[in-house]
């Protein structure tokens, strides 16, 4: 999907940053994401995966709406959450979309209150998201996109199981898994909530 097909505020922001056309991998996946297809997007670092996440979420959600989040993005830690938040702030500049980060190094009661006030996009570590959910601190019923950034972090500890719990609590949703490699355990997701997903690898 060429950048000229993006919503006007996003297209203008990207143009002001000097981005003239998508990178090769972005050309492979952006139109598929826009169509609502669930994907395993497999590509090396510096292929434009993170920017693809930000562009796709902004393009899909367009503007603030009600209180419950419509996009959830799992990241490995606080640093990754804050870095992704900065990317969103940079590209959503001319929209009113609201972004919120949830991670372990912050008071969970404050996070519950701030999410309750209303947000469109939640960037969260798996452990903290699950704690907030089981405390009835987040409504996942309106989710349209569930995304994992740099999914290779899931192979350590209990993260894989924590991310797997989330689809059990939501209805129809687009799933996007971004990683440098296709992990064998992803096949479990293909057999359950991602059985119609496509796997796109960088060429």
């Amino acid at each position: 999907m060429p950048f000229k097909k993006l919503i006007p505020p996003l297209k203008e922001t990207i143009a002001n940053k000097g981005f003239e056309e998508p990178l090769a991998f972005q050309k492979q996946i952006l139109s598929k994401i826009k169509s609502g297809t669930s994907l395993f997007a497999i590509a090396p670092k510096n292929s434009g995966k993170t920017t693809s996440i930000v562009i796709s979420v902004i393009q899909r959600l367009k503007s603030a709406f009600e209180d419950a989040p419509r996009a959830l993005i799992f990241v490995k830690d606080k640093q990754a959450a804050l870095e992704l938040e900065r990317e969103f702030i940079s590209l959503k500049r001319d929209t009113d979309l609201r972004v919120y980060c949830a991670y372990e190094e912050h008071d969970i009661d404050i996070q519950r209150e701030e999410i309750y006030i209303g947000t469109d996009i939640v960037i969260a570590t798996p452990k903290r998201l699950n704690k907030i959910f089981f405390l009835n601190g987040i409504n996942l019923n309106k989710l349209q996109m569930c995304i994992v950034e740099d999914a290779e972090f899931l192979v350590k500890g209990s993260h894989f199981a924590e991310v797997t719990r989330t689809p059990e609590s939501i209805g129809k949703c687009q799933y996007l898994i971004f990683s440098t490699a296709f992990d064998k355990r992803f096949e479990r997701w293909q057999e359950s909530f991602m059985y119609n997903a496509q796997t796109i690898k960088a060429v």
Side-chain angles (χ1 to χ4, degrees), residues 137-203:
I138 186 170
N139 177 5
L140 300 180
N141 292 330
K142 302 296 184 180
L143 273 191
Q144 298 177 20
M145 306 176 80
C146 184
I147 303 167
V148 183
E149 182 195 34
D150 295 333
E152 49 267 31
F153 81 88
L154 296 176
V155 302
K156 298 179 180 179
S158 59
H159 296 313
F160 191 89
E162 289 165 344
V163 170
T164 303
R165 291 191 195 107
T166 304
E168 298 172 357
S169 308
I170 59 181
K172 185 178 180 180
C173 187
Q174 180 183 28
Y175 295 95
L176 302 169
I177 312 301
F178 291 80
S179 182
T180 56
F182 189 93
D183 189 272
K184 187 75 173 175
R185 285 184 288 185
F186 292 163
E187 294 176 0
R188 302 179 197 172
W189 293 348
Q190 288 178 311
E191 296 167 358
S192 55
F193 59 91
M194 292 187 69
Y195 53 86
N196 286 326
Q198 297 182 26
T199 299
I200 306 296
K201 296 184 178 181
V203 295

Side-chain angles (χ1 to χ4, degrees), residues 62-87:
K62 296 181 176 60
S63 60
F65 182 74
E66 297 184 348
D67 297 328
R70 290 171 289 151
L72 169 63
I73 307 169
F74 285 112
V75 294
K76 65 179 179 179
D77 55 24
K78 174 183 177 181
Q79 179 180 345
L82 295 177
E83 288 175 356
L84 185 56
E85 181 186 39
R86 284 193 290 270
E87 288 280 341

